[in-house]
Amino acid sequence: MRLFATAIKLLCLLAFTYSCSVHAQQAQSFVVGDIVVEGNERIDLGTILNYLPVRTRDSFDPRRDGPRALRALYDTGLFSDVVLKQRDSNILLVEVVERPSIGSITIDGNQKIPKDELTASLRQADIALGRVYNRSLLETVERELRRVYFSAGNYGSEIDINVKELERNRVALDIDITEGAIAKIQHINIVGNKSYSEETLVDLLQSAEYTPNPFSTRDEYSQVKLAADIETLRSFYLDRGFTRFDVVSTQVSISPDKRDIFVVINIDEGDRYTVRDVNLRGQLDVPEQELLDLIEIEEGDVFARKDIVRSSNAITDRLGQDGFAFAEVDVLPDVDDESKDVGLTFVVNPGKRVYVRRIVFTGQYKTRDEVLRREMRQFEGSRFSPALVNRSRIRLQRLAFMQSVSISTPRVPGTDDQVDLEVTVQEGPSGSFSAGFGYGTEGATVSLAFSQENLFGTGQSMKFAFDNSDTTRQLSLSLRNPYFTDDGISRTVRAFISETDTSNSTARTTYLSSTRGASVSFGVPLSEFSTFRVGAGYERTEIGQTSSTPDDINAFVDENGDTYDLWTFNLGFSYDTRNRTVFATKGFVNRFNVDFSVPGSDITYVKAGYNFEYFYPLTERYTFSTTIQVDGGGGYGDFKRIPFFKRYFAGGIRTLRGYDSGSLGPLDSVGNASGGDFRTLGTVELIFPPPFVEEPGATRFSLFTDFGNVYSEYDDFDADEFRGSYGVAFVWLSPVGPLTFSYSAPYNDRPDDRRREFQFTIGSIF
């Protein structure tokens, strides 16, 4: 293609030279009075004149200057034909034929590599809409696409490019890709290993030999993955003292049918080195011993790069706490190959203390600036602190209407002691309205809900909900202001109406109730992580009886009446370090609460509870979680126990999966669960995203085990009576509401327990 284009250029130059020589006597040198360009449509006149090496008032000799001018215009690659003529004795006429431009690029057949990635790769090769097209471009397109597919292991891919002419001198590139199968790794051979077996080293790699598992991609070859595996081997050896470790060569061979890959990695382990001594040098604006205590490697230890990096980062973070944002810690190794040891010197250069000049928020389209700014723990004009910046990011991330938060700290131009904080946020949906019909293992549900987590951009929330299931009808409205005062005291106001008919339940004691009430509560922040809560409320409960109502409830109603006015008071304390409020992956939360009816109420009782949740990231995709919940209470004054309509229940998808909703614990006179005054629950989970999903977002799976039970009173507690289950769960925070599914198998159950292995809820509050 390129040879053909070059030949065309030479022929044009020779033709022009011949024409000039034939008409030499008629076309003599002349002074250019004007330059006229004809034939250009897309390329403006100024661009052509800029490339043309001839100006007005120049003396133009067709035999000398003509070939030079032609060559200059052809070399731009913008024209397929150029002709120079003389007009009216002193006018130079330039006639051009423009090359077509790329009007569209269509890619079909790609399944394994996204179109955006292929388009970006072509753009890097200067192939994009509006660019000039020539036939040699087809080779570049094919070569670039093959490079992308080869790097992903698709050696059998085929690329067919069709060129279609469009109006206005444009062309369309239709690219049809046949991806073929990704080459599979049949064998990985590591040569040169002495200290560790080949099996141990191969298990470290992302790449793996062929496996019949259709869901595994480890045996699919990729250049990028192999490069990462080489670094994994290097890190493995450097973390175990092999300072001179080296990957001598990597050989990759492919079968003739381009389906099988064979990898040979040649390594040189070298000898194992130990640490001779550790020293600290440089400008120490922090007590030396404090920095030495942060160094995790000591004399006589095996040389480990990971410990050195961790120590260096710890020193940098400590200096950052004192405002040295750009502190540098260099580690200088002194390797002695004879004694096989290494001396380490940590050289500290704290630089200047850095201050924050300005905090700028971008990305929000609804939220007021003050709503974001009040969550910041790093302030303008104060010393820069990485810890405060990170805490600010977490606080912003914990807002229910924030989808993502990132903070960058560019230096202020012209200074070496100031930075700006550029906070980029992405708002998620803050409001929702839904109405519909749902069905779950707890019965049919008709729901109507409206919620707004960021009312008018103020950060306040309002929730209205109506639920109508087989057993419960509820109407509620709540308003929450997280900053009722400038000090961060929150206020929540709630009103509700609830009607319960447990005669439709197959597990719980039977009665009718109607409750209406209202409450107000305040949250007082005690520290960055702890909050004290206090609230009060009023509710009126009316009890109805049926033919199936058990004797103990009938006796309670006969003795105390069927209408109860309760004035309640509640206290709570929480300590929360989680990185998110929904789908947390790190941190823990402790919650204590006490709820009681004040003297003068128709029924006097006290309820107390403790809840503990812990999240630990095992990897970037896997999280370990455990939850413990203990609730208990009793009556006081003329009452010994919690009223039956305030008791604790267990069983169901929200408490103990694998058992019917509310079916566990003490039974009434007709064999239904009557609830108890004491409850213990626990859960252990391994949380992970769905397979093949890089960014799970609003979905997750978990393997879990639940355990616990309900007891009449605390004195009846017996761990042998614990019920348990294990299984798998799936949660999707869908646009219409949370969807929760679980399949579990009970264990330590009793023959009369009401089991329900598969459970789900759709269209209800999570």
Side-chain angles (χ1 to χ4, degrees):
M1 294 284 185
R2 292 181 178 176
L3 291 175
F4 179 77
T6 303
I8 293 296
K9 290 181 181 180
L10 291 176
L11 288 174
C12 291
L13 289 174
L14 289 174
F16 180 81
T17 303
Y18 174 76
S19 175
C20 290
S21 63
V22 170
H23 302 284
Q25 294 180 351
Q26 291 82 7
Q28 300 295 327
S29 298
F30 63 95
V31 176
V32 179
D34 192 11
I35 301 175
V36 177
V37 179
E38 295 180 352
N40 58 311
E41 298 177 358
R42 188 181 65 258
I43 304 169
D44 60 79
L45 176 63
T47 300
I48 298 175
L49 294 179
N50 183 58
Y51 285 117
L52 186 68
V54 180
R55 301 290 181 266
T56 56
R57 301 191 188 91
D58 287 353
S59 177
F60 184 80
D61 185 344
R63 291 168 296 182
R64 180 193 67 220
D65 301 321
R68 181 167 60 91
L70 283 174
R71 186 179 301 109
L73 293 179
Y74 273 117
D75 287 344
T76 64
L78 301 175
F79 310 104
S80 60
D81 191 20
V82 180
V83 177
L84 301 180
K85 295 181 180 179
Q86 181 182 357
R87 176 190 291 177
D88 297 337
S89 73
N90 66 341
I91 297 176
L92 179 62
L93 177 62
V94 183
E95 296 180 349
V96 298
V97 178
E98 295 177 348
R99 292 188 184 277
S101 64
I102 300 176
S104 67
I105 300 177
T106 304
I107 301 177
D108 293 319
N110 59 304
Q111 299 292 333
K112 299 170 184 175
I113 300 180
K115 181 180 178 180
D116 291 344
E117 184 177 336
L118 296 176
T119 303
S121 179
L122 292 177
R123 190 179 299 111
Q124 291 179 354
D126 203 28
I127 303 167
L129 298 181
R131 300 300 173 88
V132 175
Y133 166 77
N134 58 66
R135 295 185 62 86
S136 64
L137 190 69
L138 299 181
E139 294 182 357
T140 306
V141 172
E142 184 174 352
R143 183 172 60 251
E144 182 62 25
L145 292 178
R146 286 192 182 278
R147 183 193 66 79
V148 174
Y149 273 96
F150 284 3
S151 65
N154 285 83
Y155 288 97
S157 60
E158 297 181 1
I159 298 171
D160 184 26
I161 305 174
N162 295 317
V163 181
K164 297 180 181 178
E165 294 185 0
L166 303 175
E167 69 267 358
R168 300 196 307 276
N169 198 24
R170 298 178 304 147
V171 297
L173 299 183
D174 294 337
I175 305 172
D176 188 19
I177 300 174
T178 303
E179 293 182 326
I182 296 179
K184 301 284 188 177
I185 301 174
Q186 295 298 323
H187 185 63
I188 299 177
N189 187 21
I190 298 179
V191 180
N193 54 302
K194 300 176 182 177
S195 303
Y196 301 96
S197 67
E198 184 176 18
E199 181 181 1
T200 299
L201 299 178
V202 170
D203 287 342
L204 299 173
L205 310 181
Q206 296 181 39
S207 303
E209 296 179 356
Y210 174 76
T211 171
N213 182 3
F215 300 105
S216 175
T217 60
R218 291 188 62 195
D219 58 353
E220 294 181 353
Y221 173 74
S222 166
Q223 293 178 1
V224 175
K225 188 161 60 174
L226 182 59
D229 289 337
I230 297 300
E231 290 306 312
T232 299
L233 283 176
R234 193 183 307 278
S235 297
F236 177 82
Y237 274 96
L238 290 178
D239 290 341
R240 287 158 179 77
F242 295 90
T243 308
R244 300 299 190 187
F245 172 82
D246 185 33
V247 177
V248 180
S249 65
T250 303
Q251 302 169 5
V252 179
S253 56
I254 186 170
S255 62
D257 61 1
K258 299 181 180 181
R259 290 181 175 271
D260 299 329
I261 294 288
F262 303 88
V263 180
V264 179
I265 304 174
N266 294 280
I267 65 174
D268 180 8
E269 290 184 341
D271 297 315
R272 194 189 301 269
Y273 286 68
T274 58
V275 177
R276 182 173 64 250
D277 52 43
V278 179
N279 298 297
L280 192 63
R281 298 287 185 270
Q283 182 181 347
L284 306 179
D285 291 270
V286 175
E288 181 177 358
Q289 188 58 47
E290 187 174 347
L291 297 182
L292 285 172
D293 292 340
L294 297 174
I295 299 177
E296 300 182 9
I297 193 167
E298 299 178 355
E299 179 181 345
D301 290 349
V302 173
F303 177 89
R305 186 177 64 175
K306 63 180 180 181
D307 292 337
I308 296 173
V309 173
R310 194 157 48 231
S311 301
S312 177
N313 291 337
I315 295 174
T316 302
D317 292 342
R318 175 60 187 87
L319 293 171
Q321 295 177 13
D322 282 7
F324 299 102
F326 304 118
E328 297 179 354
V329 179
D330 297 323
V331 182
L332 305 180
D334 180 17
V335 182
D336 190 332
D337 291 324
E338 293 185 2
S339 57
K340 309 300 180 188
D341 56 26
V342 182
L344 298 176
T345 302
F346 289 79
V347 181
V348 179
N349 179 21
K352 292 184 177 181
R353 279 193 169 92
V354 177
Y355 296 83
V356 176
R357 182 187 69 166
R358 185 180 297 117
I359 300 176
V360 181
F361 296 93
T362 59
Q364 77 276 22
Y365 62 91
K366 180 179 180 181
T367 307
R368 298 179 184 178
D369 185 83
E370 63 187 47
V371 174
L372 303 179
R373 195 169 294 275
R374 68 193 182 191
E375 300 297 333
M376 298 296 294
R377 292 301 176 260
Q378 174 72 70
F379 304 116
E380 293 178 344
S382 63
R383 284 183 182 178
F384 175 82
S385 170
L388 293 179
V389 172
N390 184 60
R391 183 58 190 168
S392 300
R393 180 184 59 80
I394 290 177
R395 287 186 65 89
L396 290 171
Q397 189 173 273
R398 284 167 58 91
L399 295 175
F401 46 87
M402 282 298 157
Q403 185 169 331
S404 64
V405 179
S406 63
I407 301 179
S408 60
T409 56
R411 295 194 189 200
V412 175
T415 68
D416 58 358
D417 62 350
Q418 291 185 15
V419 296
D420 287 336
L421 256 62
E422 296 180 353
V423 184
T424 303
V425 302
Q426 182 180 356
E427 294 181 339
S430 60
S432 65
F433 176 80
S434 63
F437 173 79
Y439 186 82
T441 49
E442 297 183 12
T445 301
V446 176
S447 63
L448 175 68
F450 170 80
S451 68
Q452 176 57 254
E453 295 289 350
N454 190 15
L455 195 63
F456 306 119
T458 63
Q460 300 182 32
S461 64
M462 179 178 71
K463 296 181 179 180
F464 168 81
F466 169 74
D467 293 294
N468 183 13
S469 68
D470 287 350
T471 59
T472 303
R473 288 190 300 171
Q474 179 171 301
L475 179 69
S476 64
L477 173 67
S478 65
L479 299 170
R480 181 176 185 272
N481 185 351
Y483 278 81
F484 179 64
T485 69
D486 293 338
D487 296 329
I489 296 177
S490 66
R491 183 191 67 182
T492 302
V493 179
R494 180 173 181 264
F496 66 93
I497 300 174
S498 176
E499 295 183 357
T500 302
D501 181 359
T502 58
S503 61
N504 293 322
S505 172
T506 60
R508 296 176 59 172
T509 190
T510 302
Y511 64 91
L512 307 175
S513 72
S514 176
T515 304
R516 52 187 53 83
S519 65
V520 59
S521 62
F522 298 89
V524 182
L526 303 179
S527 70
E528 186 61 34
F529 303 102
S530 58
T531 302
F532 173 74
R533 303 185 187 280
V534 59
Y538 165 79
E539 63 183 61
R540 164 170 283 201
T541 299
E542 300 176 0
I543 298 298
Q545 299 159 275
T546 70
S547 59
S548 302
T549 301
D551 296 338
D552 54 342
I553 294 181
N554 289 327
F556 186 92
V557 172
D558 291 341
E559 181 178 355
N560 300 284
D562 59 2
T563 302
Y564 318 106
D565 291 322
L566 304 178
W567 296 91
T568 60
F569 196 76
N570 58 79
L571 300 172
F573 174 82
S574 64
Y575 190 88
D576 191 350
T577 67
R578 294 173 299 170
N579 61 340
R580 295 179 181 272
T581 54
V582 179
F583 286 1
T585 59
K586 184 179 181 181
F588 65 89
V589 56
N590 280 293
R591 295 190 184 94
F592 303 87
N593 65 279
V594 177
D595 184 9
F596 59 92
S597 60
V598 301
S601 300
D602 290 339
I603 302 175
T604 51
Y605 67 92
V606 178
K607 297 176 68 175
Y610 168 70
N611 181 267
F612 172 75
E613 297 178 48
Y614 175 71
F615 300 90
Y616 180 78
L618 301 175
T619 66
E620 291 184 359
R621 295 174 63 85
Y622 291 86
T623 301
F624 170 79
S625 170
T626 183
T627 301
I628 297 174
Q629 182 176 345
V630 180
D631 300 296
Y636 72 91
D638 295 333
F639 299 88
K640 295 183 178 180
R641 299 191 60 191
I642 299 174
F644 63 89
F645 53 88
K646 291 285 186 179
R647 289 175 186 166
Y648 301 107
F649 290 84
I653 197 167
R654 294 183 179 89
T655 53
L656 209 162
R657 289 162 284 196
Y659 298 87
D660 208 355
S661 177
S663 64
L664 296 176
L667 304 179
D668 59 21
S669 57
V670 296
N672 292 327
S674 60
D677 290 1
F678 185 72
R679 177 177 67 179
T680 58
L681 297 171
T683 298
V684 176
E685 286 187 283
L686 177 64
I687 303 169
F688 54 93
F692 316 116
V693 176
E694 294 296 329
E695 297 182 3
T699 58
R700 74 174 188 180
F701 278 96
S702 67
L703 300 176
F704 68 86
T705 177
D706 293 343
F707 52 88
N709 208 339
V710 178
Y711 304 88
S712 294
E713 300 180 68
Y714 172 76
D715 293 340
D716 297 328
F717 173 76
D718 184 359
D720 292 337
E721 292 297 320
F722 269 12
R723 304 296 195 268
S725 66
Y726 60 90
V728 59
F730 172 72
V731 179
W732 176 29
L733 302 180
S734 73
V736 297
L739 280 68
T740 308
F741 303 86
S742 71
Y743 184 85
S744 53
Y747 64 87
N748 202 38
D749 52 317
R750 302 295 185 265
D752 56 347
D753 287 341
R754 302 181 181 182
R755 302 165 45 134
R756 192 178 293 271
E757 286 81 3
F758 178 70
Q759 295 172 308
F760 67 94
T761 58
I762 301 177
S764 61
I765 302 299
F766 178 72

